[in-house]
Amino acid sequence: MATIADVGRRAGVTPSVVSRVLNGDPSLRVRPETRERVVAAARELDYTPNHAARALRQSRVGTIGLAVHDISNPVYAPLIAGAQRAASTHGYVLVLADVPELARDGQTFARVVGSGAIDGLLLLPAGVEADRVVEEAVAERLPAVVVNDRSQSLPSIELADRAAMSLATDHLLDLGHRDLAALRLDGAGHRARHRTEGFERAMRGRGVPVGDDRVIDGGHTVASGRAAMEVLLSQPLPPTGVVAASVLAGIGALTATRDAGLGVPDDLSIVGVHDVFFAEFLTPALTVVRLPLGHLGEVAVERLVAMIDGDDASQPHLLLDDPAPELVLRGSTAAREPRPDASSPRRRQ
Amino acid sequence: MATIADVGRRAGVTPSVVSRVLNGDPSLRVRPETRERVVAAARELDYTPNHAARALRQSRVGTIGLAVHDISNPVYAPLIAGAQRAASTHGYVLVLADVPELARDGQTFARVVGSGAIDGLLLLPAGVEADRVVEEAVAERLPAVVVNDRSQSLPSIELADRAAMSLATDHLLDLGHRDLAALRLDGAGHRARHRTEGFERAMRGRGVPVGDDRVIDGGHTVASGRAAMEVLLSQPLPPTGVVAASVLAGIGALTATRDAGLGVPDDLSIVGVHDVFFAEFLTPALTVVRLPLGHLGEVAVERLVAMIDGDDASQPHLLLDDPAPELVLRGSTAAREPRPDASSPRRRQ
DNA sequence: CTGAAAGCGCTTACAG
DNA sequence: CTGAAAGCGCTTACAG
């Protein structure tokens, strides 16, 4: 690989001049033809600045870490894509890290956080202990932003979780359902709590009572959603509608209902929060409330980049409520008592 | 952040000794108590070696690039997870890069490949032009391995694509189907070709003729699979079984068939290659042939690490056929003429 | 056996 | 206005 010295030799100038020309130093006054010679020499030698040397000199590496619990969780794919896009725009590269692994192995963690290998960290918490470990270890040592939840110790950006859950609940209430259950998110995060509050608020808003045994833990996977739905179906009088705080749990609820020999949406309506690309390929396709995950990823990166650049995080917590949660009508929800007219949405499109 | 000089000062030794103690230099003979003082000082100061400095000195950064076309493609999630696991084991960190972006923006590409920002690159081709651009740019400049396909210019590792497709085809033949169609992968890669060959070979093996219009491009998405299936269904005499080289296309075929008012598997059996975690939640759940994608990710990283360490790639092309392709029986395939006995698999579990 | 010194490739404050 | 020189933090061949 060609170095800056090689370029300088070829162009007949010192390395300083090469560096300044190539980096567009405005305080440099140099003859146009010299400038051209430098640029030409760099091109001819296929010169690329050495990443490590530049990082060492500038104390900035150009990478942003993204700490997630499960890379393959399809729900967060749009968020990761959005973060990637914004990072690229700002000249950063995204590095994926595994939260459980970070929390387990202090060695790895120190290398990531303390070594200057990344300029900042985006953390997607899941409401578990490992998140706290990572949050505390990171605080004061590295620019960091908690994404998709609220944090005590770090700046954070959350989505309109209450509004989303309320929208989903209102949808079922609008369809005439009164006997509703909610599948709560697991974990101890704000996100989990806000989603549940959104359900309760919507119910209260219509003066519909919520039974104690009608808000149960549905987890955030298909399997946990199945299990939760089986509990609801074993109740003396099962609900006629279910609001799932996790779209994956909602899918589990759908398959459990079907396996129990009941019809969706004929016997039970189901709506989930967050869209996932295969929700529309289920039978019936799952009605969901969509939240701007891609936008969240972009905003989070922009905020982190501002922090890296030294712009203070004046606003510690941000609620990203624009664009607003959006109801995506598919086949899993229908009016409680089907009417002869076609106004109730039974099938997508 | 504490530097090696800080640690040396505190322990009363020179930076050289600190470096050697901390890196376990076997050629260093030093009194045990000195060694302990150094270790203690490092711990007290919370010393972490600076990543950039070490990288500059050793010409090795500890990162492996993974170039994919679509991070959110759920089919490759296990591969990425496997690569991540192996990278972590070998002290490397995985950086995701976007092939289309790499190919489009020469600037970005130079920075990634020529700057020493990564020690090696894993490339997952999709059989499109962008792959060739990246492959050529990378050759001779960086240790690189092509994963899940064969390459002319780079070492590569492929899965048993022919065997997988043959297994899927044999499954339908075993069920009594004779009138089969194949949904080909798009793109010009070996993978696409080998899958199609696997279909043709299995058919030939049983002496079953393949109609010219029965091998059509099914692409690698749900949408393209739907479109391809609609073409097959519009044929005068549609097939009774479909082998989809892409599991996503298979899912598209399933929804298209259902939407056309036909029953799966009653009117048409469908089997796909590769599993994807929601294939079992479809109605009916999709029968697939599973290939060891996680293992592929691990093996690819191990091979790349060996190349980075200077071990020559003696074996340019590797066919990873262990463990062998495995048929996962679900509900989308059934005997052509349902018999009264229960031996034909109609429903999962 | 141990420490001083060079050097990885870059940027930039400073002297000429 | 331009160039020489220092220094980012580390590792390691080399002299003592």
Side-chain angles (χ1 to χ4, degrees):
Chain A
M1 286 291 103
T3 72
I4 205 168
D6 298 330
V7 177
R9 247 187 312 274
R10 185 172 189 110
V13 298
T14 62
S16 329
V17 176
V18 175
S19 172
R20 282 156 164 158
V21 167
L22 263 30
N23 291 314
D25 181 348
S27 78
L28 174 70
R29 201 123 316 190
V30 78
R31 278 178 305 183
E33 67 174 59
T34 307
R35 187 180 297 272
E36 274 164 32
R37 268 213 319 282
V38 169
V39 171
R43 192 174 33 235
E44 284 158 24
L45 294 174
D46 197 17
Y47 170 73
T48 314
N50 179 283
H51 187 255
R54 180 173 259 178
L56 176 58
R57 187 56 229 253
Q58 301 187 323
S59 327
R60 177 198 173 281
V61 280
T63 58
I64 288 174
L66 179 63
V68 297
H69 283 258
D70 180 10
I71 298 178
S72 60
N73 184 336
V75 174
Y76 295 116
L79 194 161
I80 296 178
Q84 167 111 311
R85 211 159 39 230
S88 175
T89 300
H90 291 273
Y92 284 86
V93 136
L94 216 58
V95 179
L96 294 186
D98 195 56
V99 175
E101 191 183 317
L102 287 181
R104 168 165 27 88
D105 182 2
Q107 206 72 352
T108 304
F109 193 76
R111 226 181 42 208
V112 169
V113 169
S115 69
I118 55 174
D119 296 318
L121 186 73
L122 254 32
L123 173 63
L124 265 86
V128 297
E129 178 60 16
D131 294 317
R132 265 198 353 89
V133 174
V134 172
E135 261 188 69
E136 277 178 16
V138 129
E140 313 284 319
R141 307 182 63 190
L142 193 72
V145 172
V146 167
V147 186
N148 199 25
D149 211 329
R150 218 178 262 190
S151 164
Q152 313 297 348
S153 46
L154 295 173
S156 54
I157 311 183
E158 60 181 338
L159 291 172
D161 291 306
R162 276 201 202 86
M165 197 75 174
S166 289
L167 180 58
T169 309
D170 279 333
H171 169 54
L172 293 184
L173 290 168
D174 288 345
L175 288 171
H177 293 272
R178 287 297 172 270
D179 200 350
L180 297 182
L183 261 37
R184 221 173 29 214
L185 272 184
D186 54 342
H190 290 253
R191 181 170 74 245
R193 190 147 50 71
H194 289 171
R195 298 246 174 108
T196 304
E197 286 172 10
F199 173 73
E200 292 165 343
R201 181 176 295 187
M203 293 291 272
R204 219 180 307 123
R206 303 284 184 104
V208 181
V210 178
D212 271 357
D213 54 352
R214 287 294 161 93
V215 178
I216 68 173
D217 188 339
H220 63 279
T221 67
V222 175
S224 59
R226 280 187 66 94
M229 193 66 225
E230 281 161 9
V231 170
L232 287 176
L233 290 175
S234 73
Q235 292 177 351
L237 205 70
T240 68
V242 167
V243 186
S246 149
V247 61
L248 294 184
I251 290 168
L254 195 153
T255 64
T257 305
R258 220 175 44 204
D259 287 358
L262 296 175
V264 177
D266 297 334
D267 300 307
L268 185 87
S269 283
I270 303 178
V271 54
V273 171
H274 274 321
D275 201 4
V276 70
F277 87 98
F278 59 95
E280 57 175 312
F281 304 123
L282 301 168
T283 310
L286 189 71
T287 294
V288 299
V289 169
R290 207 180 267 159
L291 285 162
L293 277 172
H295 189 218
L296 174 62
E298 290 176 358
V299 170
V301 164
E302 263 144 30
R303 184 139 185 230
L304 184 62
V305 167
M307 289 171 64
I308 292 170
D309 291 345
D311 301 358
D312 201 292
S314 49
Q315 204 181 356
H317 302 305
L318 181 67
L319 171 66
L320 194 74
D321 55 4
D322 181 39
E326 174 198 2
L327 186 67
V328 181
L329 235 50
R330 298 203 180 104
S332 67
T333 52
R336 193 192 164 191
E337 292 168 347
R339 288 160 296 168
D341 72 81
S343 72
S344 62
R346 298 296 294 273
R347 276 233 146 263
R348 182 165 148 267
Q349 285 172 1
Chain B
M1 285 291 104
T3 71
I4 205 167
D6 298 330
V7 176
R9 249 189 308 276
R10 185 173 189 110
V13 298
T14 61
S16 327
V17 175
V18 175
S19 173
R20 281 156 165 159
V21 167
L22 262 30
N23 291 314
D25 180 347
S27 78
L28 174 68
R29 200 122 317 188
V30 79
R31 278 178 304 184
E33 66 174 62
T34 307
R35 187 181 297 270
E36 275 164 31
R37 269 213 319 281
V38 170
V39 172
R43 192 173 33 233
E44 284 158 24
L45 293 174
D46 196 17
Y47 169 73
T48 314
N50 180 284
H51 187 255
R54 180 173 258 181
L56 177 57
R57 186 57 230 252
Q58 303 188 321
S59 327
R60 177 198 175 279
V61 279
T63 58
I64 288 174
L66 179 63
V68 297
H69 283 258
D70 179 11
I71 297 178
S72 60
N73 185 335
V75 175
Y76 295 115
L79 194 161
I80 297 178
Q84 167 110 313
R85 211 159 39 232
S88 176
T89 300
H90 291 274
Y92 284 86
V93 135
L94 217 59
V95 179
L96 293 187
D98 195 56
V99 174
E101 192 182 315
L102 287 181
R104 168 165 26 86
D105 181 3
Q107 205 74 352
T108 303
F109 193 75
R111 227 180 42 210
V112 169
V113 169
S115 68
I118 54 174
D119 296 319
L121 185 73
L122 255 31
L123 173 64
L124 264 85
V128 297
E129 179 60 16
D131 294 317
R132 263 198 354 90
V133 174
V134 172
E135 259 187 71
E136 277 178 14
V138 128
E140 313 284 316
R141 307 182 63 189
L142 192 72
V145 172
V146 167
V147 185
N148 198 26
D149 211 329
R150 215 179 266 190
S151 164
Q152 314 296 347
S153 47
L154 296 173
S156 54
I157 311 183
E158 60 180 337
L159 291 172
D161 291 306
R162 277 201 201 88
M165 196 77 173
S166 289
L167 180 58
T169 308
D170 278 333
H171 169 54
L172 293 183
L173 290 169
D174 288 345
L175 287 171
H177 294 272
R178 286 296 171 272
D179 200 350
L180 297 182
L183 262 36
R184 221 174 29 215
L185 272 183
D186 54 342
H190 290 252
R191 180 170 73 245
R193 191 148 49 73
H194 289 171
R195 295 246 175 109
T196 303
E197 286 172 9
F199 172 74
E200 292 165 344
R201 179 175 299 188
M203 294 291 272
R204 218 179 309 121
R206 303 283 185 106
V208 180
V210 178
D212 270 357
D213 54 352
R214 287 295 161 91
V215 177
I216 68 173
D217 189 338
H220 63 280
T221 67
V222 175
S224 59
R226 279 187 66 94
M229 193 66 225
E230 281 161 10
V231 170
L232 287 177
L233 290 175
S234 74
Q235 293 177 350
L237 204 70
T240 68
V242 167
V243 186
S246 148
V247 62
L248 294 184
I251 290 168
L254 195 153
T255 64
T257 305
R258 222 175 42 204
D259 287 358
L262 295 176
V264 177
D266 296 335
D267 299 308
L268 185 87
S269 283
I270 303 177
V271 54
V273 171
H274 274 322
D275 201 4
V276 71
F277 86 99
F278 59 93
E280 55 176 310
F281 304 123
L282 301 167
T283 310
L286 190 71
T287 295
V288 299
V289 168
R290 207 181 266 159
L291 286 161
L293 277 172
H295 189 216
L296 175 62
E298 291 176 357
V299 170
V301 164
E302 262 143 33
R303 184 139 184 227
L304 185 61
V305 168
M307 287 170 66
I308 293 170
D309 291 346
D311 301 359
D312 202 294
S314 49
Q315 204 181 358
H317 301 306
L318 181 66
L319 170 65
L320 194 73
D321 55 3
D322 181 39
E326 175 197 2
L327 185 69
V328 181
L329 235 50
R330 298 202 181 104
S332 67
T333 51
R336 193 192 164 190
E337 293 167 347
R339 287 160 296 169
D341 72 81
S343 73
S344 62
R346 297 297 293 274
R347 278 230 146 266
R348 183 169 146 268
Q349 282 174 0

